[in-house]
C-alpha cells in the first residue's frame, strides 16, 4: 500500500508553506436582520430582543425565526396562511 501513497518530505518544506493536510473550517456568518416598519403591510410586527427581533404574525400570532425576516418570506406567509387578508390595507 505504501507504494501508492506519495508523501512529501517535511524537511523540504519551508516555514511559510502550510502542510497539505490542513483542513480549512467553513465558518457560517450569522446575519441578524432588523425589523422594518414596512413589514406591517405583510401583517407582521416584532417580538423578542431588540438586537435580534423575531417577526410575529398579527393575525395568527405565529412567531417566525430571525432568518425569515425577509419581505418575500413574510409575504409568502401572508398569501399562503391568510389569503382573505392578503388584499387588505395596513
Amino acid at each position: 500500500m505504501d507504494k501508492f501513497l506519495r508523501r512529501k518530505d517535511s524537511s523540504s518544506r519551508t516555514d511559510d508553506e502550510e502542510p497539505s493536510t490542513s483542513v480549512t473550517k467553513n465558518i457560517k456568518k450569522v446575519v441578524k436582520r432588523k425589523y422594518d416598519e414596512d413589514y406591517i403591510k405583510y401583517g407582521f410586527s416584532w417580538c423578542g430582543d431588540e438586537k435580534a427581533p423575531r417577526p410575529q404574525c398579527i393575525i395568527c400570532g405565529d412567531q417566525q425565526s430571525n432568518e425569515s425576516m425577509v419581505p418575500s418570506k413574510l409575504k409568502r406567509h401572508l398569501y399562503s396562511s391568510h389569503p382573505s387578508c392578503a388584499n387588505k390595507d395596513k
Side-chain angles (χ1 to χ4, degrees):
M1 186 71 176
D2 289 336
K3 67 181 181 181
F4 296 109
L5 297 175
R6 292 185 181 182
R7 296 183 185 182
K8 288 186 173 182
D9 187 19
S10 61
S11 62
S12 66
R13 191 180 69 203
T14 59
D15 291 337
D16 58 339
E17 293 179 2
E18 291 187 22
S20 62
T21 60
S22 67
V23 177
T24 57
K25 294 181 181 179
N26 293 336
I27 300 173
K28 186 176 180 181
K29 184 178 177 184
V30 177
V31 177
K32 300 289 184 183
R33 296 192 173 269
K34 301 294 181 189
Y35 179 76
D36 188 14
E37 293 296 326
D38 291 335
Y39 295 162
I40 195 74
K41 67 182 175 184
Y42 304 120
F44 279 89
S45 180
W46 68 279
C47 65
D49 190 18
E50 289 183 14
K51 294 179 182 176
R54 297 178 62 189
Q56 181 177 15
C57 181
I58 295 172
I59 301 165
C60 65
D62 190 22
Q63 290 184 4
Q64 306 290 327
S65 65
N66 185 278
E67 291 85 24
S68 68
M69 198 180 295
V70 181
S72 62
K73 291 183 180 180
L74 299 177
K75 190 175 183 179
R76 181 177 59 190
H77 173 83
L78 179 66
Y79 281 94
S80 64
S81 299
H82 314 292
S84 61
C85 300
N87 296 327
K88 293 184 179 180
D89 292 336
K90 293 181 189 181

